[in-house]
Amino acid sequence: MTAPIPIKVHYHKHERELELTYAEDESYRLSVEYLRVFSPSAEVRGHGPDTATLQVGKKDVGLKDISRAGRYALKLHFDDGHDSGLFSWDYLHDLIRDREANWADYLKRLEQAGASREPLSIEIKQL
C-alpha cells in the first residue's frame, strides 16, 4: 500500500509536535518525542528486532530542522543530535495509524527497563 503524501508539514515548536495535513483537511499531530523514539534509523531500530535500542530521556526533545528526502520521505533533525533515518510517507502513515498501540508498548518497555522519559539532567547552580 502506498500512503498518501501530506500537502502540508508544520512544526509546532512550543508544543513540540509535527503536524501532517493531507487532502480534504485531514490533519494529524505527532509529538516529536514519539517520532524520536520510533525513528526508523538503524541506531534506534537496530538491524533486527533483537538489536533495537530503547530510547530513554526523550520527553523534551525538539526539532532543529526538517528537510525533504526526494519525493518519498522527510529527514528530521532532532535537537539531541539525532538525524539519521528517513521518515517515508508510508512509515509516517504507519506511525499515525498505530500511534496508541506503539505508545503503550513503548511505555511498557520503559517500565520493564526501569527507565524514564525524563531527560537526565545535572543541576547547575549559579555562583
Side-chain angles (χ1 to χ4, degrees):
M1 176 181 116
T2 301
I5 298 172
I7 57 173
K8 181 180 174 187
V9 176
H10 180 74
Y11 177 45
H12 297 270
K13 186 175 183 175
H14 189 296
E15 294 89 356
R16 292 188 180 106
E17 292 179 334
L18 186 68
E19 183 177 10
L20 302 166
T21 303
Y22 295 90
E24 299 172 23
D25 289 330
E26 202 175 338
S27 183
Y28 302 93
R29 285 185 174 206
L30 299 173
S31 76
V32 175
E33 178 187 13
Y34 176 64
L35 293 165
R36 175 62 177 85
V37 301
F38 285 95
S39 170
S41 71
E43 175 187 330
V44 173
R45 295 178 79 178
H47 295 286
D50 296 335
T51 60
T53 302
L54 180 64
Q55 301 298 298
V56 300
K58 302 301 179 188
K59 182 179 179 186
D60 297 330
V61 73
L63 288 176
K64 287 184 357 184
D65 196 16
I66 302 167
S67 54
R68 246 184 119 143
R71 293 180 176 210
Y72 68 96
L74 293 177
K75 182 169 183 155
L76 303 180
H77 305 264
F78 297 91
D79 64 9
D80 67 352
H82 181 74
D83 66 357
S84 60
L86 297 177
F87 288 79
S88 70
W89 303 131
D90 287 336
Y91 187 64
L92 285 166
H93 196 261
D94 290 347
L95 288 176
I96 291 166
R97 183 192 64 217
D98 301 331
R99 178 177 24 194
E100 288 183 32
N102 287 344
W103 192 250
D105 180 62
Y106 171 66
L107 294 177
K108 180 180 169 186
R109 288 184 290 129
L110 274 179
E111 184 179 346
Q112 290 171 342
S116 172
R117 295 174 52 219
E118 297 295 329
L120 295 175
S121 62
I122 299 171
E123 186 177 337
I124 298 175
K125 294 183 180 179
Q126 186 171 357
L127 299 176

